[in-house]
Amino acid sequence: MLTQEELTDIVRSFVPESVFPEGTQLLEVVVPAEKYFLLIEKLKSDQKLSFNYLISQTAVDFTSNMTVVCHLESTEFRYLMVVKVILTDRENPAIDSLTALYPTAEYFEREIFDLFGIRFNNHPNLKRLFLEDDYGYPLRKDFRDEVNMIER
Amino acid sequence: MMSEEIIKDVIVGEQEDYLINLGPQHPSTHGVLRLEVCLKGETVKYLNPHIGYIHRGIEKMCEALTYQQIIHLTDRMDYLSAHINNEAVSMIVEDALQVEVPERVKYIRTILDELNRIASHQLWWCAFGMDLGALTTFFYGLRDREHILDIFEESFGSRLLHSFVCPGGLMHDVHPNFQKRTKEFIKYFRTKLPEYDQLLTGNIIFQNRSKGIGYMSRETAIGYGVTGPSGRGSGFSCDVRKIAPYGAYDKVRFNEILETEGDVFARYKVRMAEMHESLSIIEQLIDNIPEGDFTAKMKPIIKLPAGEYFRRVETARGELAVYVVSDGNKTPYRMKFRTPNFSNLFVMNEIASGYKIADLIAISGSLDLVIPDIDR
């Protein structure tokens, strides 16, 4: 079993620009959008880590930026890691798709596209999952629906 | 005697593919799910699930509700694992506030989880038999499930959506009869479980329709994130109760049921064995429930410290993960539910392609889908 320090060292050797926020519940790493796919590919293929299970992939709208959050687990060693990407462009957010690595990402990403409007490059079938095409992106903080939402 | 090629040419329509819609109101989809199935003859070429018919926007609604109110929404995701869903949100609040819940609460929660799991597996067993044309299973399963629902009704006043587990503990203490009736149920169900095997498991028609159908490899299960009994039927060890014990699971001895065949029958065997394991877990706890409070001291207004929290529990269908981003207010800033059925559904294209349309019903039944849990 690797300790948290050893894990951070390995991640740093993959992507030197990665940032590790302090005081988080799980081990967290923030990477630039262009290194995101590369890092997760290495986390998955590395023999000492083998993060082969994507527990969940989601996004958070922090109004100043959009953050994509991936929870990864290694089914062999039971490490947990959170990989985050901060997208500053709220008008046209785009990021690489993980579908080539994890088949389940195809549907997590369709859900994120549906609810946040984040586009995924190289996604095989980027269509909305729950809602109609002209609905807007409901989980964005500036979303307004006069009929169904009550402001408090 | 005609060769096989000639027979194929004679059958009309065998050459052309066609699309049919299974659902959104087909009884075997167990809810409002539409499967767009491409068929060549009777063989499934591919299928495409269409969801969203019961999308209520629970994640968006959570952003306007307090944590006590959110509990009542989580019931309505996977309504057959209502207790376990409640527990997930309750535990995330307790983690964030660093509240230590009394031992009594942990024991009762774990017993309720397992009762809930048995009730869920019973309903799955009824419906699965019915999917494959065995109507009698429905009467047998519901007859025994009634006993669990009566225990629930006596203690919480509701049978399906309990909202009984709340941040800090339980809404109120369980009924004085709870222990006695649960023990009676264990004794009763131990005598009834062999009937299940006699009725369905050994049935040769059932075995022929489920063995070797819907094969899912371990890699497929991990790649698609198929958890719970469906994943364990493929040898993917994913039981959160073992990986990260919560409640009183660290105080009991139980086995994680793993099968390696990966077909419909393997998933069936896992669920049948899990009912036995659940009974044994309840048996180990029910006599040792400590005395004490039914809730820890909680403030009336719960505000989580700013930060991010993540919690996983094992529902009857797999891994439920809750991810909360808090900005210090009484409502969450963002709440994400990683529900087991969402991931379990989308593996269907992979495992049902190449089998007959009648097998598709068996495969969808073996995944034990609850549609409101997919749509949220």
Side-chain angles (χ1 to χ4, degrees):
Chain A
M1 283 294 280
L2 300 171
T3 61
Q4 194 133 335
E5 284 74 36
E6 284 167 326
L7 278 173
T8 52
D9 287 342
I10 294 174
V11 173
R12 225 177 242 128
S13 71
F14 292 153
V15 178
E17 302 94 322
S18 48
V19 182
F20 298 89
E22 298 267 315
T24 51
Q25 187 194 3
L26 306 168
L27 175 60
E28 249 181 59
V29 49
V30 182
V31 284
E34 60 274 13
K35 294 287 175 70
Y36 162 73
F37 186 84
L38 179 97
L39 173 68
I40 291 183
E41 192 180 21
K42 288 199 167 164
L43 287 178
K44 192 191 172 196
S45 58
D46 192 288
Q47 294 289 315
K48 292 202 294 295
L49 305 173
S50 81
F51 280 93
N52 52 357
Y53 173 31
L54 179 68
I55 301 175
S56 103
Q57 191 181 13
T58 186
V60 187
D61 180 11
F62 285 109
T63 60
S64 58
N65 63 59
M66 303 278 246
T67 306
V68 175
V69 186
C70 298
H71 288 85
L72 297 167
E73 196 193 24
S74 144
T75 56
E76 197 173 332
F77 309 107
R78 297 292 170 201
Y79 303 132
L80 270 172
M81 191 183 280
V82 187
V83 179
K84 284 187 175 180
V85 181
I86 296 172
L87 303 170
T88 42
D89 181 7
R90 281 188 93 242
E91 296 305 311
N92 274 313
I95 189 170
D96 291 334
S97 167
L98 297 181
T99 311
L101 302 174
Y102 307 99
T104 184
E106 179 179 344
Y107 303 98
F108 284 134
E109 285 167 358
R110 273 179 70 181
E111 189 192 343
I112 297 172
F113 172 66
D114 192 4
L115 303 176
F116 287 91
I118 297 175
R119 300 203 144 265
F120 289 88
N121 310 327
N122 307 326
H123 192 284
N125 183 21
L126 196 63
K127 285 191 296 195
R128 299 194 73 151
L129 195 57
F130 302 121
L131 303 167
E132 296 114 57
D133 286 341
D134 55 351
Y135 193 77
Y137 301 117
L139 280 181
R140 288 194 179 195
K141 289 287 169 184
D142 51 7
F143 175 78
R144 290 286 169 273
D145 184 341
E146 304 296 332
V147 184
N148 298 313
M149 264 172 76
I150 301 165
E151 295 287 328
R152 294 186 193 208
Chain B
M1 205 175 142
M2 274 198 283
S3 71
E4 235 181 296
E5 287 80 11
I6 300 172
I7 296 175
K8 261 186 192 159
D9 285 338
V10 169
I11 297 169
V12 180
E14 188 76 11
Q15 291 85 6
E16 285 165 34
D17 304 345
Y18 54 99
L19 282 177
I20 63 160
N21 278 315
L22 196 72
Q25 290 295 348
H26 193 276
S28 76
T29 55
H30 301 267
V32 275
L33 165 73
R34 178 159 71 94
L35 296 174
E36 181 193 318
V37 191
C38 178
L39 294 172
K40 187 176 176 66
E42 255 190 278
T43 310
V44 177
K45 278 187 88 178
Y46 66 87
L47 65 91
N48 199 358
H50 290 265
I51 59 175
Y53 291 92
I54 192 165
H55 178 64
R56 292 147 294 177
I58 283 183
E59 287 173 13
K60 184 73 179 174
M61 279 153 86
C62 288
E63 291 176 9
L65 297 175
T66 65
Y67 293 96
Q68 290 101 324
Q69 290 169 324
I70 288 170
I71 294 290
H72 301 269
L73 282 182
T74 56
D75 279 356
R76 281 137 181 95
M77 296 192 309
D78 182 353
Y79 48 79
L80 294 174
S81 312
H83 274 304
I84 312 174
N85 294 353
N86 294 164
E87 198 181 355
V89 178
S90 303
M91 284 199 301
I92 217 163
V93 174
E94 288 148 14
D95 280 356
L97 298 174
Q98 291 169 346
V99 173
E100 185 60 39
V101 296
E103 282 294 297
R104 181 180 175 81
V105 173
K106 287 185 183 170
Y107 275 65
I108 291 176
R109 278 183 182 178
T110 309
I111 292 167
L112 293 178
D113 282 0
E114 293 307 318
L115 281 175
N116 216 181
R117 196 182 314 279
I118 294 174
S120 167
H121 284 352
Q122 280 170 341
L123 191 70
W124 158 82
W125 184 78
C126 316
F128 186 50
M130 210 165 65
D131 284 346
L132 297 179
L135 194 67
T136 319
T137 61
F138 207 79
F139 304 117
Y140 277 59
L142 285 192
R143 174 196 66 192
D144 301 337
R145 184 167 173 261
E146 202 68 11
H147 289 257
I148 297 183
L149 296 190
D150 284 346
I151 295 172
F152 286 169
E153 190 181 8
E154 190 177 52
S155 272
F156 339 126
S158 53
R159 292 158 66 85
L160 192 66
L161 309 171
H162 323 291
S163 304
F164 182 62
V165 177
C166 65
L170 309 168
M171 288 277 178
H172 49 83
D173 214 340
V174 288
H175 195 275
N177 283 347
F178 178 74
Q179 257 168 307
K180 185 173 131 262
R181 291 194 66 167
T182 309
K183 275 194 271 188
E184 277 170 12
F185 168 75
I186 296 173
K187 222 171 133 194
Y188 166 82
F189 195 48
R190 278 258 157 83
T191 63
K192 295 296 175 192
L193 258 172
E195 278 185 12
Y196 286 32
D197 290 335
Q198 286 161 12
L199 188 66
L200 195 62
T201 314
N203 186 315
I204 192 71
I205 303 171
F206 172 74
Q207 290 205 356
N208 284 343
R209 285 206 59 190
S210 56
K211 275 188 179 165
I213 305 291
Y215 175 72
M216 170 161 55
S217 69
R218 184 171 179 271
E219 284 64 41
T220 312
I222 297 175
Y224 279 90
V226 180
T227 50
S230 311
R232 289 196 283 279
S234 301
F236 172 26
S237 161
C238 55
D239 197 330
V240 182
R241 296 174 293 172
K242 281 277 184 201
I243 301 166
Y246 54 92
Y249 283 115
D250 49 352
K251 297 184 184 68
V252 290
R253 279 202 318 270
F254 67 103
N255 298 320
E256 180 178 4
I257 314 291
L258 283 176
E259 296 283 342
T260 45
E261 291 92 341
D263 56 0
V264 169
F265 195 65
R267 299 195 269 280
Y268 174 88
K269 279 194 288 185
V270 171
R271 288 200 180 85
M272 294 308 274
E274 274 196 2
M275 286 202 255
H276 287 281
E277 286 301 316
S278 295
L279 282 179
S280 120
I281 293 175
I282 300 170
E283 211 160 40
Q284 292 172 50
L285 293 173
I286 191 75
D287 281 324
N288 309 322
I289 302 177
E291 293 297 316
D293 290 333
F294 59 84
T295 177
K297 276 207 164 52
M298 296 290 280
K299 286 178 186 152
I301 295 174
I302 295 174
K303 287 183 180 173
L304 298 200
E308 293 175 14
Y309 307 96
F310 182 74
R311 193 56 137 128
R312 316 153 74 183
V313 294
E314 179 79 16
T315 76
R317 276 161 199 76
E319 178 180 336
L320 171 74
V322 186
Y323 170 65
V324 178
V325 181
S326 173
D327 58 354
N329 275 326
K330 60 183 179 181
T331 59
Y333 187 79
R334 165 98 174 93
M335 197 142 190
K336 155 83 181 168
F337 296 103
R338 180 262 188 232
T339 53
N341 289 295
F342 184 85
S343 300
N344 290 5
L345 165 70
F346 291 110
V347 79
M348 257 171 93
N349 178 31
E350 183 86 14
I351 64 174
S353 301
Y355 294 99
K356 301 278 187 241
I357 181 117
D359 298 333
L360 174 63
I361 307 299
I363 292 166
S364 89
S366 76
L367 291 175
D368 192 13
L369 301 171
V370 167
I371 311 304
D373 196 36
I374 299 169
D375 284 0
R376 282 160 284 144

